[in-house]
Structures are given as structure tokens and as C-alpha cells.
Amino acid sequence: MNDHLDPQLELMLDAVVFAHEAEQQPRVESPQSREFERAAALAAAAFAGAEEPPKALANRLAASGLQFCAERRRTLANADGGARPRLASTTPGFVTGADRAPRRSGTLFGFLTGLAAALLIWFFATKPPAPVDLSVARQQLLASSGVQQLEWKAGPSPLSGAVKGDVVWSEAEQTGYLTFEGLPPVGPEQRFQLWIVDGARKDSDPVDGGLFAITDAAGRTIVPIDAKLPVAKAAAFVVTVEDKAGVVVSKQKHVVAIAGL
Amino acid sequence: MTDLLLPQIAAGEPAAIDKFLAKYSSMVWGLARRFCRSAEDAEDATQDIFVDVWRSAERFDPDAGSEVTFLMTIARRRLIDRARRQGRRPATDLLEDAGTIAAPAAKDHVELHDEVQRAHDALAQLRPEQREVLDLALGHGRTHQEIAASIGIPLGTVKSHARRGLIRLREMLGVSNDDQPADQQKGGVS
């Protein structure tokens, strides 16, 4: 085998393999150098193998991805039905009129331009705020420290169906999210109600965590926790079925999900 | 044929995020753990890599390369950027970084993706000294001086093994001249 390579090729190979070295000259872009870079990337993957990332990191990665998706959907929605099409529809004849006849004066043009700008400002000023993406909010909360995550267990009520999911609760933030899958919807006169058992209030009733409905038993539903009182030490979370107006103290006739007991 | 996830991510489909991470996060984390000087640094690097992947997803062109190549090219580039910013590690750091050195050998890996499996098989056909140098350089981010010191061969020999090994690897992987780089599809990423 010839021991000598073309000096340019040697430089290219060094720039790929030892690209991480601070003294190394950056790779010069070329089809051949890209081939070597691709081979190096696959080799790196083969050497690396698979190692499960820590749970906190996995949560942060998911949160960043969901955050990206939420922003991306807003961007795409704005691009599809955003300001420009709406502006055009509110100023009919502006373009065609200008095209059909020469502009009569700068004043008219300035007026129309000002009108368009005002409409644009009005559109953005009156546009409702984007809804909070609960998946993103839940993942962000999960990524913070000191957060409890408890799995749901089905309660004794036959209304519990095949409930699965979890509770994510931050004592520091006094906020959290319930995730449900397989919890059958209840009738129009009923609602689910969350109860938080506060370990620091042993002689008190559970704290009301809010009313909510499930509309899709097959899908995944995320519900924000709405604790009516501060919870010092959340020991358990219980979901009951109540009247649609909710109750102050549950008789626990239908307990459909329990977490943490 | 498996469903492509990057186009779904580019379209803002949250379900694709979970699937993508389930499929690839362990591979990126595995490389970052070996490449970075600490677990904390590896976590930051892994997060940077995936943020970059989300932002670059719309540039992915399935006709020009696979998702895993696209991902690992970005991963390697981001790790290289970090290593260059941080400068070369002193050799004493390496001795303390036993957890990184002790990462599992390539032959022990299971469930490799097709293309990565091909790379794994190709690497197994290299001369042992070429494979060892490439493992330390590409898989661990070691400098050629560190490699020379750790396996006791001259600097020039380290580079020679690396060059010959990469040439042979590219031949065996059959990378086409027409292939676009994964990270430069549809406009590229920096």
C-alpha cells in the first residue's frame, strides 16, 4: 500500500476527524469533504451506541420539542390566515384600483397606506392571545426541580373505566397538571372534581382541586389543577364524580382515580 | 418503510416529538456522554443538539439522506463547536473521566438503526488500530495528541490511522458523490 496520500486529501481528512481540536483548520466545503463528514457522523453514532438519558433531561428535551411545535403551529397558522390576507379582504379594490388608474396624488396614497397600517395595528391589537399549550406547560413544570409525579390508579367506582395517566404537582409553584387516558366521559349534569389530600392538614377535608370534564376517553386529556387553598404537603390526589356545580365536601360515592395513596 | 418524523416535527406535530426522542435521544446522549467532560456538560450539549434539530427539521430532505444521518451530523457539529469553544482538555482531566472512557464498546450495542448498523459493521472490518483511533477521535472527542499519549504511538501514526480508517469507512459505506450533506439539505444549518 502506498503510505502517502495527497496532501490536500490529508488536510481534508484531518479537518473531519479532528474537527473538535481548537487548532484544527475548519473543513473546506466540498462534495468529497461532505462524504467524509457523513461517514464520520455515522461512525460516531456507531461508537456511541444507546444510553438512556436521565429523566430530567428527557423531560427538558420533550419540553423543548413541544415548545417548538407550539410556536411552529402559530407561525404556520399566521402564514396561512394571518395579517396580509385579512388586510386584503378589508381593503377591497386597493390594488386593482391603483393598477387600473394612475395615482392621482400622494395624499390619497398616503391616506390608504395609513388606513392599511391602522387596520394592521387593529388586527394585532384585537387578536386574542394564543391559548396556553398544556402539554408544553406540563413538560416545563416537569423539568423544574422538586416536582412530584404520581401515577393514577383506578378508583373503586365502575365509572373509572381503564383510567391511566399521572399527576404532576409543584409544591413551590402551587400548580400542577392531571393527565388522563381511558377515563370515560360522564353525563352532561356531572363533572369530575379533584381533591388534594394535604398531609399538613390531617384533620381537615381534602382541598378542592377544581372541576373538569373529559370529552374523549380514547385520547389524552391534560387538566390544570385549580387548588382553592394553599397545599402545604400534597399526600394524595383523588378524583370523584360530582354534580356539575361541584361540591364543597365529597361524599366519595364515585371515586374514579387515586394517585399517591 | 418507517414514517419520517422530521417532516411531522417541521409541521408542528407534537406526537412526532415523543417518537423522535424515543427513537434517537439515547443515541445522542450516548455520544454526548462520551464527548463531553462532565455529565452536566453532556446534558447541556444534548439539549442544544435537539433544539437545533427542531429548528432545522424543515430542511430535512429524505431523498438526500436518512433522519439518523441528518441528526448525527448536527449532533457531531454541535459537539465539535462546544469542544472548540472550550479548548483542548488537559490530559489529567481524561484520567478522572473514567465514566466517559468506560462507555460500552460498539460491538455490545443493540437495536442500532440500519445505517448505523452498517457503519458498525464497516468499522468492525477496519484494522484494529484504525478503529481504535477513530473511536477515540470520533466517539470520544479526543485530540490526536491525547490519542498518541493514551495508546503510545507517534502523532503522525495517529493521523495516518485516522485518515486511512476514514477513507476505508467511506468506501465501505458507499457514500455517493451526489449525496447532499445531511445538515445542508434545503439550505443547511450553521
Side-chain angles (χ1 to χ4, degrees), chain B residues 126-180:
Chain B
L126 296 182
R127 289 168 56 185
E129 58 272 25
Q130 292 174 346
R131 187 169 58 247
E132 183 176 19
V133 168
L134 287 179
D135 186 7
L136 290 168
L138 301 176
H140 287 92
R142 300 291 185 256
T143 66
H144 68 287
Q145 291 96 335
E146 290 164 352
I147 296 168
S150 76
I151 59 179
I153 58 174
L155 292 173
T157 307
V158 169
K159 287 198 166 182
S160 176
H161 288 330
R163 293 165 186 159
R164 299 274 177 200
L166 188 60
I167 289 172
R168 181 84 183 105
L169 181 66
R170 191 201 67 168
E171 288 169 357
M172 286 189 284
L173 290 176
V175 181
S176 156
N177 277 331
D178 296 331
D179 280 341
Q180 269 184 285

Side-chain angles (χ1 to χ4, degrees), chain A residues 2 16 27 35 38 72, chain B residues 10 76-77 144 164 177 179:
Chain A
N2 180 6
V16 171
R27 179 175 63 89
E35 292 169 26
R38 182 182 168 190
R72 184 73 178 150
Chain B
R76 188 162 175 270
R77 283 204 163 189
H144 68 287
R164 299 274 177 200
N177 277 331
D179 280 341

Side-chain angles (χ1 to χ4, degrees), chain A residues 57 60-61 64, chain B residues 28 32 36 40-56 71 74-75 77-79 81-82 85-86:
Chain A
L57 173 62
R60 288 203 300 276
L61 297 178
S64 75
Chain B
V28 173
C36 296
E40 187 182 7
D41 193 28
E43 289 197 18
D44 288 347
T46 303
Q47 199 160 351
D48 287 350
I49 288 164
F50 278 101
V51 167
D52 201 349
V53 169
W54 310 145
R55 289 175 181 160
S56 305
L71 167 68
I74 289 177
R77 283 204 163 189
R78 294 292 78 83
L79 289 168
D81 289 345
R82 292 178 74 88
R85 277 201 306 272
Q86 292 166 355

Side-chain angles (χ1 to χ4, degrees), chain A residues 97-189:
Chain A
D99 287 348
R100 199 167 41 237
R103 284 179 196 141
R104 281 173 290 177
S105 71
T107 309
L108 176 61
F109 180 74
F111 169 74
L112 290 172
T113 306
L115 179 63
L119 285 167
L120 198 61
I121 291 165
W122 169 83
F123 169 73
F124 282 110
T126 57
K127 189 178 174 187
V132 174
D133 188 317
L134 294 176
S135 290
V136 174
R138 176 181 172 277
Q139 286 295 342
Q140 285 174 338
L141 186 65
L142 257 178
S144 52
S145 59
V147 171
Q148 285 178 274
Q149 186 174 18
L150 304 165
E151 298 287 323
W152 286 124
K153 286 181 268 188
S157 169
L159 300 178
S160 57
V163 64
K164 287 191 304 182
D166 62 22
V167 181
V168 174
W169 172 254
S170 166
E171 218 151 80
E173 304 274 338
Q174 289 290 299
T175 190
Y177 299 91
L178 316 175
T179 303
F180 296 101
E181 285 178 57
L183 181 60
V186 290
E189 298 302 315

Side-chain angles (χ1 to χ4, degrees), chain B residues 39-119:
Chain B
E40 187 182 7
D41 193 28
E43 289 197 18
D44 288 347
T46 303
Q47 199 160 351
D48 287 350
I49 288 164
F50 278 101
V51 167
D52 201 349
V53 169
W54 310 145
R55 289 175 181 160
S56 305
E58 66 180 326
R59 299 192 184 100
F60 171 69
D61 179 357
D63 294 332
S66 67
E67 286 187 325
V68 70
T69 307
F70 183 88
L71 167 68
M72 293 312 293
T73 303
I74 289 177
R76 188 162 175 270
R77 283 204 163 189
R78 294 292 78 83
L79 289 168
I80 287 167
D81 289 345
R82 292 178 74 88
R84 288 178 70 93
R85 277 201 306 272
Q86 292 166 355
R88 195 166 48 145
R89 291 182 290 185
T92 49
D93 279 6
L94 302 179
L95 298 174
E96 294 164 5
D97 200 2
T100 302
I101 297 288
K107 62 183 168 56
D108 296 331
H109 299 160
V110 292
E111 292 187 28
L112 293 176
H113 299 278
D114 286 350
E115 265 192 288
V116 181
Q117 182 64 54
R118 282 182 57 223

Side-chain angles (χ1 to χ4, degrees), chain A residues 212-229:
Chain A
F212 59 94
I214 299 280
T215 54
D216 177 17
R220 183 172 183 248
T221 303
I222 299 178
V223 178
I225 295 175
D226 179 20
K228 307 297 189 227
L229 293 171

